[in-house]
Amino acid sequence: MFNFDTAKYTTMNIYDLIVDDKEKIYLDDVLLDDENLIQIQQLIKEYQFIDELSHYNLPVNNKILLHGYSGCGKTTTAKAIAQEIGKPILILNLSNIVSSRIGETSQNIRMLFDKATREKAILFLDEFDQIGKARGNDDKDVGEMRRLVNTVIQLIDYLPQNSILIAATNHPHILDVALLRRFQLKIDFKLPSSTLLDQYYDKIMSNLPTDIKDIDRKYSISFAEAKDYALTLAKSKLIAKLERAKKLETNGE
């Protein structure tokens, strides 16, 4: 059974948990490997030519699963897709709404899908495995989880073409197989290559003095880990530099 304190959420409007993110991110701002970039460019082009595709009864893909390592750009990619397509995006971390009473979770999920449908928006559900776990993984939860997963499957099946579902998970292996089949695109986010990480290091430290941004770079880590590592080192070097300057100034006096 989910261990979750529902008291503070039972009276909360579920829409209050949607992240209000006004940051504009374009596809050029996202560092992607070649395979993922090609798939996402194709998706964006489908929406640019949606009328022409519809003329030939060719449906656009509107159910996308982003999976793989944490901190490798899934959320940033979802924002870029929304910006390039020109749709509003509703961002929600599902760990914030999963309730010990599955019926409440199902109702909350329905409300989110309804809102995305009304607004013809992109619904971005992070930590999707919170509601999509394979039915039967836990004997105590099998009945409740089956009903929740069935609800999600139905909502996905009836999602209109003018709305988009983007789900993200770090654990695709625990998702229900029937649920996985609903996604037309499944994009794997691997740890970035050394080349991509070098581009990322250059980008996040571009405004720093040369002596500060000259650090030993780490590889085989995520973008998020690289950012924390690089900026921590940069701050340490800058503080040491300022302390030396202050000491010299004091001694000069």
Side-chain angles (χ1 to χ4, degrees), residues 205-215 237 241:
M205 303 181 76
S206 60
N207 66 330
L208 297 174
T210 301
D211 60 329
I212 301 299
K213 64 184 178 185
D214 184 18
I215 63 170
K237 293 181 72 171
K241 181 178 179 179

Side-chain angles (χ1 to χ4, degrees), residues 15-16 38 44 96 106 120 152 157 188 192 248:
Y15 301 145
D16 292 338
I38 289 171
I44 293 168
N96 292 331
S106 296
K120 300 178 182 179
V152 176
D157 283 345
D188 185 9
L248 288 172

